[in-house]
Amino acid sequence: MHEFSIASAVVATAAKHAGGRRVTVVSLRLGALRQVVPDALAFAFAIVSRETVCDGARLTWESVPVRVRCAPCDRTSTLERLPLRCPRCGDGGVAVVAGEELEVESIEVEEEAACTA
Amino acid sequence: MHRVKVRVAEDALDANATIAAANRADFDRAGVAVVNLMSAPGAGKTTVLERILGDGPTIGDGVRVGVLEGDVQGSLDADRLAHLHVPVVQLDTGSGFGGECHLDANMVRSALPLLPLDDLDLLIVENVGNLVCPAEFRIGEDARIMVSSVAEGDDKPLKYPLMFRTCELVVVNKVDLLEHVDFDLDRFFYHLQAVHPGVPHLEVSARTGQGIDALRAWLARLPDRVGAPA
Ligand SMILES: [Zn+2]
Protein backbone atom coordinates (compact mmCIF):
# COMPACT_ATOMS: atom_id res chain seq x y z
CA MET A 1 0.00 0.00 0.00
CA HIS A 2 3.04 2.18 0.53
CA GLU A 3 3.55 2.20 -3.23
CA PHE A 4 -0.09 3.13 -3.87
CA SER A 5 0.09 6.19 -1.64
CA ILE A 6 3.34 7.23 -3.26
CA ALA A 7 2.04 6.57 -6.77
CA SER A 8 -0.95 8.85 -6.05
CA ALA A 9 1.43 11.57 -4.88
CA VAL A 10 3.58 11.10 -8.00
CA VAL A 11 0.55 11.41 -10.30
CA ALA A 12 -0.60 14.56 -8.49
CA THR A 13 2.85 16.13 -8.73
CA ALA A 14 3.20 15.26 -12.42
CA ALA A 15 -0.31 16.55 -13.20
CA LYS A 16 0.43 19.83 -11.46
CA HIS A 17 3.41 20.42 -13.75
CA ALA A 18 1.75 19.07 -16.89
CA GLY A 19 -0.62 22.02 -17.18
CA GLY A 20 -3.32 19.89 -18.79
CA ARG A 21 -1.00 18.33 -21.39
CA ARG A 22 -0.86 14.57 -21.72
CA VAL A 23 2.07 13.04 -19.84
CA THR A 24 4.02 10.31 -21.63
CA VAL A 25 6.94 9.75 -19.24
CA VAL A 26 7.42 10.41 -15.53
CA SER A 27 11.01 10.21 -14.28
CA LEU A 28 11.71 9.75 -10.58
CA ARG A 29 14.67 9.79 -8.27
CA LEU A 30 14.22 7.15 -5.57
CA GLY A 31 16.50 7.20 -2.53
CA ALA A 32 17.52 3.77 -1.27
CA LEU A 33 16.31 4.62 2.26
CA ARG A 34 12.73 5.10 1.06
CA GLN A 35 12.32 1.38 0.44
CA VAL A 36 10.21 1.87 -2.62
CA VAL A 37 9.91 -1.32 -4.68
CA PRO A 38 10.08 0.05 -8.26
CA ASP A 39 8.00 -2.72 -9.84
CA ALA A 40 5.32 -2.34 -7.19
CA LEU A 41 5.37 1.42 -7.74
CA ALA A 42 5.06 1.01 -11.53
CA PHE A 43 2.10 -1.32 -11.00
CA ALA A 44 0.43 1.10 -8.59
CA PHE A 45 1.17 4.03 -10.92
CA ALA A 46 -0.52 2.27 -13.85
CA ILE A 47 -3.65 1.87 -11.74
CA VAL A 48 -3.89 5.24 -10.01
CA SER A 49 -3.04 7.18 -13.18
CA ARG A 50 -6.11 5.91 -15.02
CA GLU A 51 -8.29 8.73 -16.30
CA THR A 52 -5.69 11.32 -15.33
CA VAL A 53 -3.26 13.18 -17.62
CA CYS A 54 -0.75 10.44 -16.70
CA ASP A 55 -2.91 7.63 -18.09
CA GLY A 56 -0.64 5.34 -20.08
CA ALA A 57 2.53 7.20 -19.13
CA ARG A 58 5.75 5.28 -18.68
CA LEU A 59 7.44 5.47 -15.29
CA THR A 60 11.22 5.57 -15.18
CA TRP A 61 13.42 5.85 -12.11
CA GLU A 62 16.95 6.41 -11.02
CA SER A 63 18.01 4.83 -7.73
CA VAL A 64 19.92 7.21 -5.49
CA PRO A 65 22.39 5.45 -3.21
CA VAL A 66 22.75 6.35 0.45
CA ARG A 67 25.52 8.88 1.11
CA VAL A 68 26.59 9.93 4.57
CA ARG A 69 28.82 12.74 5.72
CA CYS A 70 31.09 12.15 8.69
CA ALA A 71 32.15 15.30 10.56
CA PRO A 72 35.21 13.80 12.32
CA CYS A 73 36.56 12.51 8.98
CA ASP A 74 35.32 15.50 6.96
CA ARG A 75 34.34 12.99 4.31
CA THR A 76 31.29 11.78 2.40
CA SER A 77 30.90 8.06 1.70
CA THR A 78 28.47 5.89 -0.20
CA LEU A 79 26.91 3.03 1.77
CA GLU A 80 25.81 -0.22 0.18
CA ARG A 81 23.83 -1.25 3.23
CA LEU A 82 22.97 -0.31 6.80
CA PRO A 83 24.24 0.59 9.38
CA LEU A 84 24.39 4.33 8.91
CA ARG A 85 27.96 4.60 10.08
CA CYS A 86 31.09 6.12 8.63
CA PRO A 87 32.87 3.28 6.79
CA ARG A 88 36.20 4.94 7.50
CA CYS A 89 36.12 5.60 11.26
CA GLY A 90 32.94 3.77 12.32
CA ASP A 91 31.42 6.96 13.76
CA GLY A 92 27.63 6.69 14.10
CA GLY A 93 26.99 10.44 14.15
CA VAL A 94 26.84 10.71 10.37
CA ALA A 95 24.44 12.97 8.47
CA VAL A 96 22.51 11.44 5.58
CA VAL A 97 23.16 13.67 2.55
CA ALA A 98 21.51 11.47 -0.09
CA GLY A 99 19.29 8.42 -0.23
CA GLU A 100 16.04 9.85 1.13
CA GLU A 101 14.77 11.23 -2.21
CA LEU A 102 11.27 10.66 -3.45
CA GLU A 103 11.44 13.17 -6.21
CA VAL A 104 9.66 13.69 -9.50
CA GLU A 105 12.72 14.69 -11.51
CA SER A 106 11.03 15.46 -14.83
CA ILE A 107 8.05 14.66 -17.01
CA GLU A 108 7.65 14.39 -20.75
CA VAL A 109 4.45 15.91 -22.14
CA GLU A 110 2.76 16.10 -25.53
CA GLU A 111 2.39 19.48 -27.13
CA GLU A 112 0.92 20.78 -30.34
CA ALA A 113 3.80 21.32 -32.78
CA ALA A 114 4.86 24.94 -32.70
CA CYS A 115 4.14 26.93 -35.85
CA THR A 116 7.36 27.09 -37.84
CA ALA A 117 6.07 29.40 -40.57
CA MET B 1 2.09 16.52 -31.54
CA HIS B 2 5.62 16.52 -30.28
CA ARG B 3 7.03 15.72 -26.91
CA VAL B 4 8.73 18.11 -24.54
CA LYS B 5 10.59 17.36 -21.38
CA VAL B 6 9.61 19.45 -18.37
CA ARG B 7 11.96 19.66 -15.44
CA VAL B 8 10.04 19.18 -12.17
CA ALA B 9 12.56 18.45 -9.37
CA GLU B 10 9.88 18.36 -6.71
CA ASP B 11 9.40 15.98 -3.82
CA ALA B 12 6.34 13.86 -4.56
CA LEU B 13 5.09 14.48 -1.03
CA ASP B 14 5.36 18.28 -1.16
CA ALA B 15 1.59 18.65 -1.31
CA ASN B 16 1.27 16.67 1.91
CA ALA B 17 4.09 18.66 3.49
CA THR B 18 2.31 21.94 2.70
CA ILE B 19 -0.89 20.79 4.41
CA ALA B 20 1.12 19.39 7.34
CA ALA B 21 2.69 22.82 7.79
CA ALA B 22 -0.78 24.41 7.82
CA ASN B 23 -1.89 21.90 10.48
CA ARG B 24 1.19 22.65 12.51
CA ALA B 25 0.51 26.38 12.35
CA ASP B 26 -3.08 25.86 13.53
CA PHE B 27 -1.95 23.61 16.38
CA ASP B 28 0.72 26.13 17.39
CA ARG B 29 -1.82 28.95 17.38
CA ALA B 30 -4.07 26.92 19.65
CA GLY B 31 -1.09 26.11 21.89
CA VAL B 32 -1.48 22.38 21.38
CA ALA B 33 1.48 20.03 21.09
CA VAL B 34 0.89 17.08 18.78
CA VAL B 35 2.46 13.67 18.96
CA ASN B 36 2.15 11.10 16.18
CA LEU B 37 2.03 7.63 17.73
CA MET B 38 2.99 4.90 15.30
CA SER B 39 3.58 1.16 15.40
CA ALA B 40 3.09 -2.12 13.62
CA PRO B 41 -0.34 -3.71 14.11
CA GLY B 42 -0.50 -5.40 17.50
CA ALA B 43 2.46 -3.63 19.09
CA GLY B 44 0.09 -2.32 21.74
CA LYS B 45 -0.35 1.40 20.97
CA THR B 46 -3.91 1.50 22.22
CA THR B 47 -3.09 -0.38 25.43
CA VAL B 48 -0.20 1.97 26.08
CA LEU B 49 -2.58 4.91 25.59
CA GLU B 50 -5.10 3.38 27.99
CA ARG B 51 -2.35 3.05 30.59
CA ILE B 52 -1.10 6.59 30.11
CA LEU B 53 -4.56 8.14 30.29
CA GLY B 54 -6.09 5.76 32.83
CA ASP B 55 -5.74 8.17 35.75
CA GLY B 56 -7.73 11.04 34.30
CA PRO B 57 -7.90 13.74 31.66
CA THR B 58 -4.54 15.32 32.51
CA ILE B 59 -0.97 14.11 32.77
CA GLY B 60 2.04 15.64 34.47
CA ASP B 61 1.38 19.13 35.80
CA GLY B 62 -2.17 19.57 34.48
CA VAL B 63 -1.45 18.89 30.81
CA ARG B 64 -4.86 18.37 29.18
CA VAL B 65 -4.80 15.50 26.69
CA GLY B 66 -6.99 14.59 23.72
CA VAL B 67 -6.75 11.67 21.31
CA LEU B 68 -7.27 11.47 17.57
CA GLU B 69 -7.80 7.90 16.42
CA GLY B 70 -6.95 6.74 12.94
CA ASP B 71 -8.18 3.20 12.66
CA VAL B 72 -8.56 0.93 9.68
CA GLN B 73 -10.94 -1.34 11.62
CA GLY B 74 -13.61 1.30 12.11
CA SER B 75 -14.02 2.57 15.66
CA LEU B 76 -12.64 -0.40 17.64
CA ASP B 77 -9.77 1.53 19.17
CA ALA B 78 -11.90 4.61 19.77
CA ASP B 79 -14.44 2.42 21.58
CA ARG B 80 -11.67 1.02 23.77
CA LEU B 81 -10.69 4.56 24.72
CA ALA B 82 -14.25 5.78 25.20
CA HIS B 83 -14.24 4.98 28.93
CA LEU B 84 -11.30 7.30 29.48
CA HIS B 85 -12.05 10.84 30.56
CA VAL B 86 -10.33 12.45 27.60
CA PRO B 87 -11.83 13.69 24.33
CA VAL B 88 -11.43 11.04 21.64
CA VAL B 89 -12.11 11.86 18.00
CA GLN B 90 -12.29 9.06 15.46
CA LEU B 91 -10.98 9.65 11.97
CA ASP B 92 -12.43 7.54 9.18
CA THR B 93 -9.47 6.36 7.15
CA GLY B 94 -11.58 4.17 4.91
CA SER B 95 -11.97 6.69 2.11
CA GLY B 96 -9.44 7.57 -0.54
CA PHE B 97 -7.22 5.36 -2.63
CA GLY B 98 -4.71 3.63 -0.40
CA GLY B 99 -5.66 6.06 2.33
CA GLU B 100 -6.57 3.38 4.80
CA CYS B 101 -3.01 2.35 5.61
CA HIS B 102 -1.89 5.63 7.17
CA LEU B 103 -3.02 9.10 8.17
CA ASP B 104 -1.98 11.94 5.93
CA ALA B 105 -1.97 15.67 6.58
CA ASN B 106 -5.23 16.20 4.73
CA MET B 107 -7.10 13.61 6.81
CA VAL B 108 -5.86 15.23 10.02
CA ARG B 109 -6.86 18.62 8.61
CA SER B 110 -10.40 17.32 8.07
CA ALA B 111 -10.54 16.41 11.77
CA LEU B 112 -9.47 19.86 13.02
CA PRO B 113 -13.04 21.23 13.34
CA LEU B 114 -13.99 18.20 15.45
CA LEU B 115 -11.15 18.66 17.93
CA PRO B 116 -11.66 20.78 21.08
CA LEU B 117 -8.27 22.43 20.59
CA ASP B 118 -9.00 25.26 23.05
CA ASP B 119 -9.39 22.70 25.84
CA LEU B 120 -6.19 20.79 25.07
CA ASP B 121 -2.47 21.11 25.66
CA LEU B 122 -1.48 17.83 24.04
CA LEU B 123 -3.05 15.88 21.21
CA ILE B 124 -2.00 12.27 20.78
CA VAL B 125 -2.68 11.01 17.27
CA GLU B 126 -2.87 7.23 17.12
CA ASN B 127 -1.84 6.43 13.58
CA VAL B 128 -2.86 3.32 11.68
CA GLY B 129 -0.84 0.23 12.60
CA ASN B 130 1.71 0.06 9.80
CA LEU B 131 5.46 0.63 9.75
CA VAL B 132 5.76 1.78 6.16
CA CYS B 133 3.24 4.39 4.96
CA PRO B 134 2.88 6.43 8.18
CA ALA B 135 6.60 7.12 8.06
CA GLU B 136 6.18 8.86 4.71
CA PHE B 137 3.41 11.26 5.64
CA ARG B 138 3.90 14.10 8.12
CA ILE B 139 0.65 15.28 9.68
CA GLY B 140 1.85 18.48 11.35
CA GLU B 141 3.13 16.80 14.50
CA ASP B 142 5.72 18.13 16.94
CA ALA B 143 7.12 14.69 17.67
CA ARG B 144 6.83 11.11 16.54
CA ILE B 145 6.83 8.13 18.84
CA MET B 146 7.33 4.67 17.47
CA VAL B 147 6.07 1.76 19.57
CA SER B 148 7.83 -1.51 18.92
CA SER B 149 7.12 -4.66 20.92
CA VAL B 150 9.27 -7.57 21.95
CA ALA B 151 6.72 -9.84 20.27
CA GLU B 152 8.18 -8.60 16.98
CA GLY B 153 11.64 -9.25 15.57
CA ASP B 154 14.65 -7.46 17.07
CA ASP B 155 15.75 -6.67 13.51
CA LYS B 156 12.74 -4.37 12.93
CA PRO B 157 14.85 -1.19 12.72
CA LEU B 158 16.81 -2.65 9.81
CA LYS B 159 13.62 -3.64 8.00
CA TYR B 160 11.86 -0.30 8.47
CA PRO B 161 14.67 2.25 8.67
CA LEU B 162 12.59 5.22 7.54
CA MET B 163 10.10 4.71 10.35
CA PHE B 164 12.79 4.35 12.99
CA ARG B 165 14.73 7.27 11.57
CA THR B 166 11.86 9.75 11.66
CA CYS B 167 10.87 9.32 15.31
CA GLU B 168 12.00 11.29 18.37
CA LEU B 169 11.37 8.45 20.82
CA VAL B 170 11.27 4.67 20.52
CA VAL B 171 9.10 2.80 23.01
CA VAL B 172 9.78 -0.91 23.43
CA ASN B 173 6.54 -2.41 24.73
CA LYS B 174 5.70 -5.80 26.26
CA VAL B 175 9.06 -6.12 28.05
CA ASP B 176 7.26 -8.31 30.59
CA LEU B 177 7.33 -10.99 27.86
CA LEU B 178 11.09 -10.86 27.32
CA GLU B 179 11.78 -14.20 28.99
CA HIS B 180 9.18 -15.90 26.80
CA VAL B 181 10.18 -14.59 23.39
CA ASP B 182 13.20 -14.77 21.15
CA PHE B 183 13.91 -11.05 21.32
CA ASP B 184 17.32 -9.72 22.26
CA LEU B 185 17.01 -6.17 23.64
CA ASP B 186 20.72 -5.46 23.13
CA ARG B 187 20.52 -6.57 19.51
CA PHE B 188 17.42 -4.40 19.00
CA PHE B 189 19.20 -1.33 20.39
CA TYR B 190 22.27 -2.13 18.31
CA HIS B 191 20.11 -2.17 15.17
CA LEU B 192 18.28 0.98 16.31
CA GLN B 193 21.61 2.77 16.71
CA ALA B 194 22.53 1.63 13.21
CA VAL B 195 19.60 3.47 11.63
CA HIS B 196 19.04 6.33 14.10
CA PRO B 197 22.09 7.04 16.19
CA GLY B 198 21.29 8.62 19.55
CA VAL B 199 17.49 8.32 19.45
CA PRO B 200 16.14 8.03 23.01
CA HIS B 201 14.16 4.96 24.01
CA LEU B 202 12.00 3.68 26.85
CA GLU B 203 11.30 0.11 27.89
CA VAL B 204 7.68 -0.28 28.94
CA SER B 205 5.00 -2.83 29.66
CA ALA B 206 1.46 -1.60 29.17
CA ARG B 207 0.36 -4.78 30.96
CA THR B 208 2.35 -4.34 34.18
CA GLY B 209 2.75 -0.57 34.02
CA GLN B 210 6.54 -0.70 33.89
CA GLY B 211 8.01 2.41 32.31
CA ILE B 212 4.61 4.07 31.85
CA ASP B 213 5.42 6.89 34.29
CA ALA B 214 8.54 7.72 32.30
CA LEU B 215 6.56 7.77 29.05
CA ARG B 216 3.87 9.94 30.65
CA ALA B 217 6.57 12.34 31.84
CA TRP B 218 8.10 12.47 28.34
CA LEU B 219 4.69 13.31 26.87
CA ALA B 220 3.89 15.86 29.59
CA ARG B 221 7.04 17.80 28.66
CA LEU B 222 6.07 18.05 25.00
CA PRO B 223 3.80 21.15 25.29
CA ASP B 224 6.84 23.12 26.55
CA ARG B 225 8.24 22.79 23.04
CA VAL B 226 5.30 24.53 21.39
CA GLY B 227 6.17 28.08 20.52
CA ALA B 228 9.66 27.59 21.92
CA PRO B 229 12.52 28.28 19.52
CA ALA B 230 13.71 25.04 17.95
ZN1 LIG C 1 34.38 9.02 9.90
Side-chain angles (χ1 to χ4, degrees), chain A residues 58-92:
Chain A
R58 187 161 55 88
L59 196 66
T60 69
W61 55 86
E62 173 202 347
S63 295
V64 183
V66 178
R67 290 185 55 79
V68 294
R69 169 143 196 97
C70 173
C73 292
D74 191 27
R75 222 180 120 96
T76 303
S77 321
T78 300
L79 300 182
E80 299 295 328
R81 61 185 69 80
L82 296 167
L84 294 174
R85 233 182 274 282
C86 172
R88 189 180 166 96
C89 71
D91 195 278

Coordinates of all heavy atoms in Angstrom, one line a residue, chain A residues 58-92:
Chain A
R58 N 4.7 6.2 -19.1 CA 5.8 5.3 -18.7 C 6.5 5.9 -17.5 O 6.7 7.1 -17.4 CB 6.8 5.1 -19.8 CG 7.8 4.0 -19.6 CD 8.4 3.6 -21.0 NE 8.9 4.8 -21.7 CZ 10.1 5.3 -21.6 NH1 11.0 4.7 -20.8 NH2 10.5 6.3 -22.3
L59 N 6.7 5.0 -16.5 CA 7.4 5.5 -15.3 C 8.9 5.0 -15.4 O 9.2 3.8 -15.6 CB 6.8 4.8 -14.1 CG 7.1 5.4 -12.7 CD1 6.5 6.9 -12.6 CD2 6.5 4.6 -11.6
T60 N 9.8 6.0 -15.2 CA 11.2 5.6 -15.2 C 11.8 6.1 -13.9 O 11.2 7.0 -13.2 CB 12.0 6.2 -16.3 OG1 12.2 7.6 -16.1 CG2 11.4 5.9 -17.7
W61 N 12.8 5.4 -13.4 CA 13.4 5.9 -12.1 C 14.9 5.7 -12.1 O 15.5 4.8 -12.7 CB 12.8 5.1 -10.9 CG 12.9 3.6 -11.1 CD1 13.9 2.8 -10.7 CD2 11.9 2.7 -11.7 NE1 13.6 1.5 -11.0 CE2 12.4 1.4 -11.6 CE3 10.6 3.0 -12.3 CZ2 11.7 0.3 -12.1 CZ3 9.9 1.9 -12.8 CH2 10.5 0.6 -12.7
E62 N 15.5 6.5 -11.3 CA 16.9 6.4 -11.0 C 17.1 6.1 -9.5 O 16.4 6.8 -8.7 CB 17.6 7.8 -11.4 CG 19.1 7.9 -11.0 CD 19.5 9.4 -10.9 OE1 18.7 10.2 -11.3 OE2 20.6 9.6 -10.3
S63 N 17.8 5.1 -9.1 CA 18.0 4.8 -7.7 C 19.2 5.7 -7.2 O 20.2 5.8 -7.8 CB 18.4 3.4 -7.5 OG 17.3 2.6 -7.9
V64 N 18.9 6.4 -6.1 CA 19.9 7.2 -5.5 C 20.5 6.5 -4.3 O 19.8 6.2 -3.3 CB 19.3 8.6 -5.0 CG1 20.4 9.5 -4.5 CG2 18.6 9.2 -6.2
P65 N 21.8 6.2 -4.3 CA 22.4 5.4 -3.2 C 22.5 6.3 -2.0 O 22.4 7.5 -2.0 CB 23.8 5.1 -3.7 CG 24.1 5.9 -4.9 CD 22.7 6.4 -5.4
V66 N 22.6 5.6 -0.8 CA 22.8 6.4 0.4 C 24.2 6.9 0.6 O 25.2 6.2 0.4 CB 22.5 5.4 1.6 CG1 22.6 6.1 3.0 CG2 21.1 4.8 1.5
R67 N 24.2 8.2 0.9 CA 25.5 8.9 1.1 C 25.5 9.6 2.5 O 24.5 10.2 2.8 CB 25.9 9.9 0.0 CG 26.2 9.1 -1.3 CD 26.7 10.0 -2.5 NE 27.8 10.8 -2.2 CZ 29.1 10.4 -2.2 NH1 29.4 9.1 -2.4 NH2 30.1 11.3 -2.0
V68 N 26.5 9.3 3.2 CA 26.6 9.9 4.6 C 27.8 10.8 4.7 O 28.9 10.5 4.1 CB 26.6 8.8 5.7 CG1 25.3 8.1 5.7 CG2 27.8 7.9 5.5
R69 N 27.7 11.8 5.5 CA 28.8 12.7 5.7 C 29.3 12.6 7.2 O 28.5 12.6 8.1 CB 28.4 14.2 5.4 CG 29.4 15.2 5.9 CD 29.5 16.4 4.9 NE 30.8 17.1 5.3 CZ 31.9 16.9 4.6 NH1 31.9 16.0 3.6 NH2 33.0 17.5 5.0
C70 N 30.5 12.3 7.4 CA 31.1 12.1 8.7 C 31.9 13.4 9.1 O 32.8 13.8 8.4 CB 32.0 10.9 8.7 SG 32.9 10.7 10.3
A71 N 31.5 14.1 10.2 CA 32.1 15.3 10.6 C 33.6 15.0 11.0 O 34.5 15.7 10.6 CB 31.3 16.0 11.6
P72 N 33.8 14.0 11.9 CA 35.2 13.8 12.3 C 36.2 13.6 11.1 O 37.3 14.0 11.2 CB 35.1 12.5 13.2 CG 33.7 12.5 13.7 CD 32.9 13.2 12.6
C73 N 35.7 12.8 10.1 CA 36.6 12.5 9.0 C 36.5 13.6 7.9 O 37.3 13.6 7.0 CB 36.1 11.2 8.3 SG 36.4 9.8 9.3
D74 N 35.5 14.5 8.0 CA 35.3 15.5 7.0 C 35.2 14.8 5.6 O 35.9 15.2 4.6 CB 36.5 16.5 7.0 CG 36.1 17.7 6.1 OD1 34.9 18.0 6.0 OD2 37.1 18.4 5.6
R75 N 34.4 13.8 5.5 CA 34.3 13.0 4.3 C 32.9 12.5 4.0 O 32.2 12.2 5.0 CB 35.2 11.8 4.6 CG 36.1 11.3 3.6 CD 36.8 10.1 4.2 NE 36.6 8.9 3.4 CZ 37.4 8.5 2.5 NH1 38.5 9.1 2.2 NH2 37.1 7.4 1.7
T76 N 32.6 12.3 2.8 CA 31.3 11.8 2.4 C 31.5 10.4 1.8 O 32.4 10.2 0.9 CB 30.6 12.7 1.4 OG1 30.5 14.0 2.0 CG2 29.2 12.2 1.0
S77 N 30.7 9.4 2.2 CA 30.9 8.1 1.7 C 29.6 7.5 1.2 O 28.5 7.8 1.7 CB 31.4 7.1 2.8 OG 32.4 7.7 3.6
T78 N 29.7 6.6 0.3 CA 28.5 5.9 -0.2 C 28.3 4.6 0.6 O 29.3 3.9 0.8 CB 28.6 5.6 -1.7 OG1 28.7 6.8 -2.4 CG2 27.4 4.9 -2.2
L79 N 27.1 4.3 1.0 CA 26.9 3.0 1.8 C 26.1 2.1 0.9 O 25.2 2.4 0.3 CB 26.1 3.3 3.1 CG 26.8 4.3 4.1 CD1 25.9 4.3 5.3 CD2 28.2 3.8 4.5
E80 N 26.5 0.8 0.9 CA 25.8 -0.2 0.2 C 24.7 -0.8 1.0 O 23.7 -1.3 0.5 CB 26.7 -1.4 -0.2 CG 27.9 -1.0 -1.1 CD 27.4 -0.5 -2.5 OE1 26.4 -1.0 -2.9 OE2 28.1 0.4 -3.1
R81 N 24.8 -0.7 2.3 CA 23.8 -1.2 3.2 C 23.9 -0.5 4.6 O 24.9 0.2 4.8 CB 24.0 -2.8 3.4 CG 25.4 -3.1 4.0 CD 25.6 -4.6 4.1 NE 25.8 -5.2 2.7 CZ 26.9 -5.1 2.0 NH1 28.0 -4.5 2.6 NH2 27.0 -5.6 0.8
L82 N 22.9 -0.8 5.4 CA 23.0 -0.3 6.8 C 24.1 -1.1 7.5 O 24.4 -2.1 7.1 CB 21.6 -0.5 7.5 CG 20.5 0.2 6.8 CD1 19.1 -0.3 7.3 CD2 20.6 1.7 7.1
P83 N 24.6 -0.6 8.6 CA 24.2 0.6 9.4 C 24.7 1.9 8.8 O 25.5 2.0 7.9 CB 25.0 0.4 10.7 CG 26.2 -0.4 10.4 CD 25.8 -1.3 9.2
L84 N 24.0 3.0 9.3 CA 24.4 4.3 8.9 C 25.6 4.7 9.8 O 25.4 5.3 10.8 CB 23.2 5.3 9.1 CG 22.0 5.1 8.3 CD1 20.9 6.0 8.7 CD2 22.3 5.3 6.8
R85 N 26.7 4.4 9.3 CA 28.0 4.6 10.1 C 29.0 5.0 9.1 O 29.0 4.5 7.9 CB 28.4 3.3 10.8 CG 28.6 3.4 12.2 CD 29.0 2.0 12.8 NE 27.9 1.2 13.1 CZ 27.2 1.3 14.2 NH1 27.5 2.2 15.1 NH2 26.2 0.5 14.4
C86 N 30.0 5.8 9.5 CA 31.1 6.1 8.6 C 31.9 4.9 8.4 O 32.4 4.3 9.3 CB 31.9 7.2 9.3 SG 33.4 7.6 8.3
P87 N 32.1 4.5 7.1 CA 32.9 3.3 6.8 C 34.4 3.5 7.1 O 35.1 2.5 7.2 CB 32.6 3.1 5.3 CG 32.1 4.3 4.7 CD 31.5 5.1 5.9
R88 N 34.8 4.7 7.3 CA 36.2 4.9 7.5 C 36.5 4.8 9.0 O 37.4 4.1 9.4 CB 36.5 6.3 7.0 CG 38.0 6.7 6.9 CD 38.1 8.1 6.4 NE 39.4 8.7 6.6 CZ 40.3 8.7 5.7 NH1 40.1 8.1 4.5 NH2 41.5 9.3 5.9
C89 N 35.8 5.6 9.8 CA 36.1 5.6 11.3 C 35.1 4.9 12.1 O 35.3 4.7 13.3 CB 36.3 7.0 11.7 SG 34.7 7.9 11.8
G90 N 33.9 4.5 11.5 CA 32.9 3.8 12.3 C 32.0 4.7 13.1 O 31.2 4.2 13.9
D91 N 32.2 6.0 13.0 CA 31.4 7.0 13.8 C 29.9 6.9 13.4 O 29.6 6.8 12.2 CB 31.9 8.4 13.5 CG 31.4 9.4 14.6 OD1 30.2 9.8 14.4 OD2 32.1 9.6 15.5
G92 N 29.1 6.8 14.4 CA 27.6 6.7 14.1 C 26.9 8.0 13.9 O 25.8 8.1 13.6

